[in-house]
Amino acid sequence: MEIHYPGVRSPVQEQRARWERKRARTARELLETERRYQEQLGLVATYFLGILKAKGTLRPPERQALFGSWELIYGASQELLPYLEGGCWGQGLEGFCRHLELYNQFAANSERSQTTLQEQLKKNKGFRRFVRLQESRPEFGGLQLQDLLPLPLQRLQQYENLVVALAENTGPNSPDHQQLTRAARLISETAQRVHTIGQKQKNDQHLRRVQALLSGRQAKGLTSGRWFLRQGWLLVVPPHGDPRPRMFFLFTDVLLMAKPRPPLHLLQSGTFACKGLYPMAHCQLSRVFGHSGGPCGGLLSLSFPHEKLLLMSTDQEELSHWYHSLTWAISSQKN
């Protein structure tokens, strides 16, 4: 039987006290960072969006493409902050969750936003002058518009970290425990969706870049619908003769081998011709060391139903990266 002495806290009481201290710290950080976040949202809404609307420097479609749901996100923060300042964490965050779709929309538009900004800075002299003038305001502390545009997505990650910590350090008997737990779950789900959107956008950028590097009729549509993993030079070791350098592009489902076009080629200099497309679902991979007895990093052996590739690199670390990426691609096709 546990004996309690006057003035001495039990282990359970000590644990509850630690939870309460961490909850208080997290709540304070959420409040302070929300104030700063709302201030930055307001600066962009006032000095960029508001003035652009009034002056007509950008047409409405371009303005929408650039800022997306910024004003609505600003409004959601204005709605949330009074609840945080009043200590009504559960009620405020529960209401805030109704606006989470705005962050999905903002993430889906983020690539278009950056593209629009670069295009307008390049071709619209009035907009370029306006942006430089606004960025020079002391309120922005040297930040440029391109630095400020990702702000809502950065804040969403902060929301996830802070609200999850707040929920975890709120006791089940607390009146806002259910509200905080539900808010933490909804915010985490939104953050995951936004992360997936960002990964797809990065992959699409890689695919467009790789497709632009490939030339010839065989190259058309080779990257469509694929997920890019890595690229780089490797030496192909033939049965006879010297190793030949080839550029390899690895996707989750195929390995593409390409040969550089001649530098003096009139139309396709600097591009690559596809010389082989190997399905990872039918690949057997093994690693070979010390094949040449020299300083080379080693060999990778890739066996396919109708062909075998021996790939060499003199860089041991690079070879290791390729081995792990190929292993991952092969396993992804078997799941």
Side-chain angles (χ1 to χ4, degrees):
M1 181 172 139
E2 188 176 3
I3 300 174
H4 297 284
Y5 297 95
V8 178
R9 288 201 257 191
S10 70
V12 172
Q13 289 173 321
E14 288 286 353
Q15 181 61 57
R16 286 174 180 165
R18 283 194 293 271
W19 284 341
E20 189 54 43
R21 286 195 297 271
K22 188 169 183 181
R23 170 184 159 92
R25 285 197 305 270
T26 304
R28 185 167 57 250
E29 184 179 354
L30 179 59
L31 173 59
E32 292 171 355
T33 54
E34 186 65 22
R35 285 174 175 157
R36 176 58 180 156
Y37 175 51
Q38 187 178 123
E39 179 188 356
Q40 291 178 308
L41 290 174
L43 287 173
V44 173
T46 300
Y47 291 114
F48 284 99
L49 258 165
I51 298 177
L52 283 172
K53 278 184 181 179
K55 294 182 65 173
T57 308
L58 284 184
R59 295 182 301 118
E62 294 158 347
R63 196 172 63 241
Q64 178 61 32
L66 181 56
F67 294 101
S69 52
W70 190 282
E71 287 179 301
L72 295 174
I73 288 174
Y74 180 34
S77 175
Q78 289 176 309
E79 184 180 309
L80 172 63
L81 186 57
Y83 285 99
L84 301 185
E85 290 175 330
C88 302
W89 313 102
Q91 186 180 356
L93 289 165
E94 185 177 51
F96 172 75
C97 286
R98 294 195 295 267
H99 303 294
L100 286 174
E101 180 57 30
L102 295 173
Y103 285 84
N104 287 328
Q105 295 169 5
F106 193 85
N109 184 67
S110 61
E111 187 177 11
R112 183 181 174 213
S113 172
Q114 290 292 340
T115 301
T116 301
L117 176 61
Q118 298 308 318
E119 288 177 350
Q120 292 301 314
L121 287 174
K122 185 176 181 180
K123 70 180 185 181
N124 188 331
K125 185 177 179 180
F127 177 72
R128 183 167 63 249
R129 189 165 52 243
F130 168 79
V131 169
R132 298 294 175 253
L133 179 64
Q134 300 305 88
E135 289 175 344
S136 67
R137 288 180 175 271
E139 294 90 341
F140 290 105
L143 291 174
Q144 296 182 337
L145 181 56
Q146 65 180 4
D147 303 320
L148 294 164
L149 286 176
L151 186 64
L153 302 183
Q154 296 165 359
R155 181 57 177 167
L156 180 63
Q157 187 60 60
Q158 289 179 326
Y159 279 140
E160 182 182 21
N161 296 337
L162 293 170
V163 176
V164 167
L166 195 60
E168 288 176 347
N169 290 281
T170 298
N173 296 326
S174 175
D176 58 356
H177 176 263
Q178 279 192 328
Q179 291 172 316
L180 289 173
T181 300
R182 182 173 180 273
R185 176 176 58 81
L186 292 174
I187 291 171
S188 292
E189 289 172 355
T190 302
Q192 182 56 52
R193 283 194 291 271
V194 164
H195 176 73
T196 300
I197 290 170
Q199 291 296 101
K200 186 178 184 307
Q201 288 175 344
K202 288 180 182 177
N203 182 66
D204 289 343
Q205 291 171 2
H206 281 305
L207 294 185
R208 288 193 295 270
R209 178 184 57 78
V210 172
Q211 188 65 61
L213 288 173
L214 301 173
S215 59
R217 284 180 298 176
Q218 287 183 319
K220 290 183 179 179
L222 273 181
T223 63
S224 179
R226 295 201 151 102
W227 280 90
F228 175 83
L229 294 180
R230 69 181 299 112
Q231 75 178 70
W233 291 96
L234 291 170
L235 295 169
V236 178
V237 181
H240 306 286
D242 296 328
R244 301 186 298 267
R246 294 289 182 265
M247 176 64 78
F248 285 88
F249 302 93
L250 177 62
F251 305 90
T252 49
D253 63 327
V254 294
L255 176 67
L256 190 156
M257 181 173 69
K259 179 181 178 181
R261 297 281 188 182
L264 299 180
H265 196 290
L266 289 176
L267 299 176
Q268 297 172 337
S269 175
T271 64
F272 295 85
C274 178
K275 306 306 286 185
L277 200 64
Y278 303 95
M280 300 313 297
H282 302 136
C283 177
Q284 291 185 336
L285 173 68
S286 61
R287 191 171 185 174
V288 184
F289 294 96
H291 178 80
S292 66
C296 70
L299 285 170
L300 295 179
S301 173
L302 288 76
S303 298
F304 301 93
H306 304 293
E307 191 172 352
K308 182 175 181 178
L309 288 177
L310 287 177
L311 306 180
M312 185 173 76
S313 173
T314 57
D315 186 328
Q316 184 65 54
E317 185 177 358
E318 178 70 5
L319 189 79
S320 181
H321 289 324
W322 271 104
Y323 178 78
H324 290 302
S325 296
L326 288 162
T327 300
W328 190 93
I330 292 168
S331 64
S332 74
Q333 296 305 298
K334 294 179 179 178
N335 294 335

